[in-house]
Amino acid sequence: MKCSIDDIALDITANQLGGVCSLHLFETVDMSIGDNHLFKRSVILIKAWLHYEARLMGSHHRLLSSYTLNTMVLFLFNSMRPYLKSSGQVLLVFLAVFSSFDWTKYGLTIFGRFPLSELPEIKIEPASSLPGVITESTLTQLRETFNKASSLKNPEDKFFQPKSLNIIDCLQPHNNLGRSLSPSNTRRFCRALKLGAVTLFSIIFPERISFSNNQKNDKNDKNNEN
């Protein structure tokens, strides 16, 4: 059941043990990362940006779900944990990485991207050679627990169904977390991330933006002279 109490959106579920497994997954990730709950703080900051600035949160509106966002942030930590020191930095990296991600050719897993042209086979291209924050063995144990808890029959017989945005659920590899986004909202999502990346970079690195603009102006002046 979805409801709103004092303008706070709440999801209330019963007998959904799979949700407990996903909660355990992200608790395990947060504990592994540590640093005063950097993972959780990063998710909260990015979710706030997506909700209040981009208006892109809410699977019931055919937008991004919280679980999908958690998975995308987990991909960042799995790929570049040693370089992520603050939630603000994670937001900047989130915008930079996913604004340039080619969603028309690739899908996303927590370990790297995979070409859509190879479906139904999932050929993951590892994003990094660095050790991730969650191991494959831990993930396998969680998957087994999830399958038992959800009474899912023959999960290996199910196939990943491509949509306009493709993100694999690490607990249910056949589940496409991007299915909640409509094609029009996927395009809106990509435009918002690009605008957010440019805006945030211009605030944090104004001298670089100014230098880039000066270079463009110089080039235009030379072309006009010619």
Side-chain angles (χ1 to χ4, degrees), residues 3-4 36 80 89 97 106 115 131 155 180:
C3 60
S4 179
N36 193 25
M80 51 190 80
Q89 185 183 24
V97 169
Y106 296 96
S180 62

Side-chain angles (χ1 to χ4, degrees), residues 116-128:
L116 298 176
S117 59
E118 298 291 340
L119 290 174
E121 186 176 359
I122 306 295
K123 292 185 177 181
I124 299 176
E125 300 175 1
S128 173

Side-chain angles (χ1 to χ4, degrees), residues 35 38 41 77 80-90:
D35 203 1
L38 178 58
R41 290 189 288 113
F77 277 99
M80 51 190 80
R81 171 64 188 101
Y83 310 109
L84 302 176
K85 305 298 183 182
S86 69
S87 56
Q89 185 183 24
V90 178

Side-chain angles (χ1 to χ4, degrees), residues 5-190:
I5 300 177
D6 292 334
D7 294 327
I8 298 176
L10 297 176
D11 287 353
I12 302 176
T13 60
N15 299 323
Q16 297 292 322
L17 297 181
V20 177
C21 292
S22 61
L23 174 64
H24 177 61
L25 165 65
F26 293 119
E27 282 291 334
T28 301
V29 168
D30 185 64
M31 292 175 63
S32 174
I33 294 172
D35 203 1
N36 193 25
H37 301 291
L38 178 58
F39 177 78
K40 289 182 178 179
R41 290 189 288 113
S42 299
V43 168
I44 291 172
L45 178 60
I46 297 172
K47 187 173 184 179
W49 184 89
L50 287 169
H51 180 76
Y52 294 107
E53 296 295 328
R55 304 293 181 183
L56 286 169
M57 289 301 301
S59 57
H60 55 293
H61 293 306
R62 302 204 71 183
L63 297 170
L64 211 63
S65 70
S66 296
Y67 185 45
T68 305
L69 172 60
N70 291 355
T71 301
M72 296 172 74
V73 176
L74 176 52
F75 160 77
L76 296 179
F77 277 99
N78 247 353
S79 305
M80 51 190 80
R81 171 64 188 101
Y83 310 109
L84 302 176
K85 305 298 183 182
S86 69
S87 56
Q89 185 183 24
V90 178
L91 170 60
L92 188 63
V93 171
F94 179 91
L95 294 173
V97 169
F98 293 119
S99 65
S100 60
F101 193 92
D102 191 348
W103 296 103
T104 62
K105 294 182 179 179
Y106 296 96
L108 184 75
T109 75
I110 64 171
F111 298 112
R113 67 182 188 179
F114 63 93
L116 298 176
S117 59
E118 298 291 340
L119 290 174
E121 186 176 359
I122 306 295
K123 292 185 177 181
I124 299 176
E125 300 175 1
S128 173
S129 59
L130 298 173
V133 297
I134 186 169
T135 64
E136 187 65 42
S137 60
T138 301
L139 200 55
T140 299
Q141 292 176 357
L142 287 170
R143 283 174 181 165
E144 292 175 352
T145 302
F146 177 85
N147 291 337
K148 292 178 181 178
S150 61
S151 300
L152 190 64
K153 295 182 179 180
N154 301 322
E156 67 278 0
D157 293 338
K158 297 181 178 295
F159 295 99
F160 182 85
Q161 298 295 324
K163 300 291 182 181
S164 56
L165 190 77
N166 298 283
I167 301 175
I168 289 182
D169 182 348
C170 56
L171 292 179
Q172 298 183 83
H174 64 274
N175 182 30
N176 187 351
L177 297 178
R179 71 184 187 281
S180 62
L181 273 81
S182 64
S184 60
N185 282 338
T186 297
R187 293 190 292 271
R188 178 183 158 201
F189 170 77
C190 294

